Amino acid sequence: MAAATGSHILNLTRPALEALPIALPNLEQQQRLVEVANSIAQEQTLLIRLIENRQQQMDALASKFLTGKTIA
């Protein structure tokens, strides 16, 4: 049985695709990967909040500077 058929464009048959082995990390590794991904997502959220906070600070300073108010 041929794994691929067609004249110019090869097609992968369902049985050939189903016969392919798929390597998966063990459950412990999968759980660790999820933990790392969650930590990265939390860090990214915090960094975005820090950037937004810094932008607000810069906007406030620019506003005070442009209006001539004293910057403490």
Side-chain angles (χ1 to χ4, degrees):
M1 175 174 80
T5 61
S7 56
H8 295 309
I9 300 174
L10 299 178
N11 297 312
L12 188 59
T13 64
R14 184 180 181 125
L17 184 60
E18 289 173 345
L20 290 174
I22 299 175
L24 292 175
N26 65 42
L27 185 57
E28 182 181 330
Q29 290 172 324
Q30 291 178 42
Q31 290 170 338
R32 181 69 183 129
L33 287 170
V34 169
E35 289 172 10
V36 170
N38 287 339
S39 294
I40 290 170
Q42 287 177 338
E43 180 182 24
Q44 194 172 31
T45 299
L46 289 173
L47 289 171
I48 289 169
R49 288 174 55 195
L50 285 170
I51 290 168
E52 290 170 347
N53 187 23
R54 181 54 50 110
Q55 186 60 51
Q56 289 175 355
Q57 291 174 345
M58 294 298 294
D59 292 346
L61 287 172
S63 177
K64 286 180 181 181
F65 178 75
L66 292 173
T67 60
K69 293 183 180 177
T70 306
I71 299 174

